[in-house]
Amino acid sequence: MRDAIIHKTLASLRVAPNMADWNAAREAFSWDQVREELGASADDFNIARLAVDRHVRGAGADRIALRYLPAAGEARMLSYAELQRQTDRFANGLRALGVGKGDRVFILAGRIAPLVVAALGSLKIGCVVTPLFSAFGPEPIATRIGIAQAQVLVTTEALYRRKIEKMRDTLTTLRHVIVIGEGDTASSVAGALDYASFIAHAAETPPPVTTGPDDMALLHFTSGTTGTPKGAVHVHGAALMHFATGRYALDLHPDDVFWCTADPGWVTGTSYGIIAPLLHGVTSVVDEAEFDAERWYRILQDEEVSVWYTAPTAIRMLMKAGPQLARRYRFPKLRFIASVGEPLNPEAVWWGQEVLGLPIHDNWWQTETGGIMIANTPALDIKPGSMGKPLPGVDAAIVRRHEGRVEVIEEPGVEGELALRTGWPSMFRAYLGQDERYRKCFAGDLYLTGDLARRDADGYYWFVGRADDVIKSAGHLIGPFEVESVLMEHPAVAEAGVIGKPDPIVGELVKAFVSLKQGIEPTEALRMDLLGHARKRLGAAVAPKEIAFLPTLPRTRSGKIMRRLLKARELGLPEGDISTLEGSE
C-alpha cells in the first residue's frame, strides 16, 4: 500500500510558492491588505476593471490575456489592452440599448472568447451576469431566465437555433438577444443583434459607471438535490476572494500560463476560468472543444501550461485512457495541478504523481462560497483523499445540529457537518427571491454547508458525503466517497458509485456500481475479487455487499456521479420520478 502522505518540501517545488508557511500566512493575513494590493476602493469596486483595466494602466497592456483555441482552426490571442477595448465596447453597446446597472445579462455559450468579453463588459456597467451551461435544454434555460427576470441574452447562433428560437416569444422579460455568429460570419438570426456588429459600432471610451463592493455582480444557479433552482447572489467584493485564492490555492505567479477546464456555465468556470487569472494578470488558455484526452495532453504540452485546474471527472477519463497516451507528451512547464467539483479519490492523486510527475491537489468550495475555501496548497504535505486545510481568511469547523442549536465539535476525527465562519468576501448574499431558504443556511455566524466531513489531528479536512447521501447500515454511518475511493484503488476500476439499498434487516446495505477500465471484461470472478478487496480494506461493516457493473456511470451535467439516479434504477423507479441534478461546480 502507498504511503498515506505525499511529503512536500520547498526544495522539491519548481517555483517558490506564494504560501510557504501555512500558519504564518494565516496569522499575517487580512482582507484590507488584499484590497490595498488590488487598488480597490469602496467608491469604485468593479470586478471587470480590476481584472482588465488595472493591468492596462500598468505594464501589462501588451501581455496576452487569453489564448483562445477554437474547436477547429488557428489559435487567437487577446492582449489585456485588446480585452479592455472589446469589453469597453460591449459595455457601451449595452448602455446604448438602455441596459444598465442591476439589469440581468444571461450568457449561454461554450468556452469561447466572446463569452469572456460579454461577461466582463456587462460587469463594467453594473449589470448582473449569469452564465448558463450550454448543454442545458430549453426548459432549464427558460426557468432561470424567468426567476431572474433577465433583460439580455447573449448566445451563439447554433445554440439559439436549437434551444431559444422556438420559445423566444415566451421569454417575455428579454428585451434584447445578442447572437454570436459561427466562425467569422455574422449572425443571421432575425430580430436579434449580431455580436460582431454590436461590438464594432459601440464607443471605445471607458463607460462612466461605478459599482461598490456590495453591488450585485454575479448570479449563479445551483439546483442541489431537490426543488427549484436556487440563484446564489454574489457581489463585486468577491474579487478579493478570487484574487487571494488565485494566489494561495492555485499559486498563480505573473508569468504563468493557466488553464481552467471548467465549463463557463458553472461557478468554477467564472470564478477561476475568467476572474481569478485575469486579476493576477496571467495568460489563460480558453479551449472551445469538448474533452478529448489526446487534445488535452497536446494543449498542456504545446501551450506550455504551468498551472492546470480541472475536475475529478476529467482526471478519471484521462486515467481510463491509460498512461501510455500521456507518455507520448512532455510537460516541462507544468508545475501545479488542482482539482475541484467533487472529492478527488486518493488513487487519482497518486496517478498524477506517477503519470504526470505531479500530485493533484484537491480543494473544496461551493457555489454559495463563491471561491475556494479549503485546499491542498503547493507547500503543504498532501494526504491523498483529503480536502486540505482552510485558506487564509477562512475559518472552518465541524458542527452537529441539536434541536435548533449547533454545537461545534473540537475533538479531531469526529464526523459532523462542515461549517464556515461568515464574513469572507465571496460569500453568497442571498438566494434570489428565496429569503427563508437562505436563512436556513445559517446558525448565528456559521454558514452550514450541508456537507459532512471530519477534521484530523493535523487540521486536514476529509469529505464524508452530502448529508442526504450518507448510508445508514446496522447502526453504522457510511460515507459513499470512502467506499468509492477504495474500489478505485483496484487496477480494474475506472469509476465507482455507491448507494444505500433498502434492506429490511439492516436498514440499508451498501451497493456499488462500477465502470471498468478499457479492455477489462466484467466477470463473476472479478466481482468476487472486488468484494474481497473492499472487505479487506474497509471491513465487513462498511464494504459493499453487492457490486454491479455498468459501461458508464450516470453523471450530472457538471460531471458528478448521480448516486440518486443509481438508487432510482436500483429501486425500479422511472428516471422521470427523480429530480434532475444539475450540480453547480
Side-chain angles (χ1 to χ4, degrees), residues 375-549:
N376 288 279
T377 59
L380 275 180
D381 291 339
I382 298 176
K383 294 187 178 184
S386 80
M387 298 149 64
K389 293 185 176 185
L391 292 172
V394 176
D395 293 316
I398 301 297
V399 304
R400 187 170 291 153
R401 304 192 197 202
H402 288 292
E403 298 178 355
R405 64 184 181 87
V406 171
E407 171 196 3
V408 176
I409 302 171
E410 303 291 351
E411 182 183 354
V414 178
E415 293 180 4
E417 185 172 1
L418 178 61
L420 302 168
R421 195 78 57 191
T422 58
W424 71 92
S426 63
M427 186 185 82
F428 74 127
R429 305 302 175 89
Y431 284 135
L432 189 67
Q434 300 184 59
D435 294 342
E436 181 61 26
R437 203 171 184 179
Y438 180 72
R439 283 193 292 271
K440 287 181 178 178
C441 295
F442 299 89
D445 66 347
L446 291 175
Y447 164 60
L448 306 175
T449 68
D451 281 353
L452 298 183
R454 58 183 172 84
R455 182 188 61 252
D456 68 19
D458 296 322
Y460 287 75
Y461 283 75
W462 299 77
F463 182 82
V464 174
R466 287 294 294 176
D468 51 7
D469 277 342
V470 171
I471 301 164
K472 301 173 183 177
S473 180
H476 299 283
L477 294 179
I478 301 167
F481 175 66
E482 181 180 17
V483 182
E484 292 163 358
S485 294
V486 166
L487 288 169
M488 283 190 62
E489 292 176 2
H490 193 284
V493 175
E495 288 189 304
V498 169
I499 65 165
K501 176 181 176 180
D503 182 89
I505 298 174
V506 298
E508 290 181 303
L509 59 82
V510 180
K511 178 162 185 175
F513 294 84
V514 166
S515 170
L516 301 176
K517 292 180 179 176
Q518 289 181 345
I520 297 177
E521 294 297 323
T523 65
E524 188 59 28
L526 178 56
R527 188 195 319 274
M528 298 307 295
D529 187 49
L530 288 171
L531 288 168
H533 164 78
R535 183 177 286 245
K536 181 178 178 181
R537 293 279 285 107
L538 295 166
V542 178
K545 304 298 186 291
E546 297 180 10
I547 291 180
F549 296 111

Side-chain angles (χ1 to χ4, degrees), residues 96-164:
L97 294 175
V99 177
K101 193 171 182 178
D103 287 339
R104 273 62 154 165
V105 176
F106 274 48
I107 306 176
L108 176 68
R111 291 175 290 265
I112 55 176
L115 177 145
V116 178
V117 171
L120 294 171
S122 300
L123 289 169
K124 278 190 171 182
I125 59 167
C127 292
V128 178
V129 173
T130 295
L132 291 174
F133 186 35
S134 58
F136 274 156
E139 185 175 336
I141 293 170
T143 298
R144 286 155 177 77
I145 287 175
I147 291 172
Q149 301 289 286
Q151 286 86 20
V152 180
L153 174 66
V154 183
T155 188
T156 66
E157 183 163 359
L159 288 171
Y160 182 90
R161 299 289 189 196
R162 293 201 331 258
K163 304 187 178 189
I164 303 298

